[in-house]
Amino acid sequence: MLIPVMAEFGYKGAYFTFLGALAISIFIVPDKEAVLMFGAILGHYPVTKAFLERIKRFLPRLTLKLLTFNIPVLLVYSLGIYVLGLKELAEGMNDFGRWTALILLGAGNLVFLLYDYGLRNIIAFYFYVVKPKIIDKLGGNRN
């Protein structure tokens, strides 16, 4: 996870770690849609979240978080359907009714907000438990 890397080596180190993990996953993960989702949506979010948390007001911060999720989701599926010709992505949704895509996007937003909340707790756990009890005793960041 990028949280320890970001805490010990900063934002640049965390983004380079993310890019390295993405590059490796392109070659070893057989499900390219999963790699695309990791790269576009979830992989960078622990670092991006740190920037978003600097916004003091709740509504603008929440709006930007949801845009950070929704824009890549819509771009990835649009790319898959219209550029790569994966029509089965859209056809599979029509089997359950015309509102399926919106319902799935809404459910995705709820799951993303749960991910954001869980990530907040994992970050707190790292900074209040792991870092002081383990990392700092081992010498911490030696930059």
Side-chain angles (χ1 to χ4, degrees):
M1 195 177 247
L2 294 177
I3 296 164
V5 176
M6 186 172 56
E8 301 303 320
F9 301 104
Y11 297 107
K12 286 182 184 179
Y15 273 122
F16 278 116
T17 301
F18 159 68
L19 290 174
L22 180 61
I24 291 169
S25 66
I26 289 170
F27 295 108
I28 65 172
V29 175
D31 185 355
K32 299 308 178 202
E33 183 182 359
V35 172
L36 190 58
M37 289 296 186
F38 168 74
I41 300 165
L42 297 177
H44 65 86
Y45 189 69
V47 182
T48 304
K49 178 179 174 55
F51 290 107
L52 294 174
E53 293 299 329
R54 293 179 181 174
I55 301 169
K56 300 291 183 206
R57 294 179 47 205
F58 174 75
L59 196 55
R61 184 176 63 239
L62 178 65
T63 302
L64 285 173
K65 285 180 180 184
L66 290 174
L67 286 173
T68 301
F69 173 74
N70 284 294
I71 290 172
V73 166
L74 295 173
L75 286 174
V76 165
Y77 277 101
S78 296
L79 178 78
I81 293 168
Y82 300 112
V83 176
L84 300 176
L86 301 173
K87 303 290 184 205
E88 59 271 5
L89 287 175
E91 291 169 0
M93 288 187 202
N94 289 334
D95 293 343
F96 298 104
R98 64 184 220 195
W99 300 105
T100 305
L102 287 176
I103 292 169
L104 286 175
L105 188 60
N109 278 280
L110 290 175
V111 170
F112 176 75
L113 291 174
L114 287 172
Y115 171 66
D116 180 68
Y117 179 75
L119 194 57
R120 182 184 78 169
N121 291 332
I122 291 170
I123 291 168
F125 179 76
Y126 178 79
F127 279 104
Y128 293 114
V129 176
V130 175
K131 189 170 178 8
K133 291 186 178 178
I134 298 172
I135 304 297
D136 291 343
K137 288 187 177 156
L138 293 175
N141 187 356
R142 298 178 192 203
N143 289 358

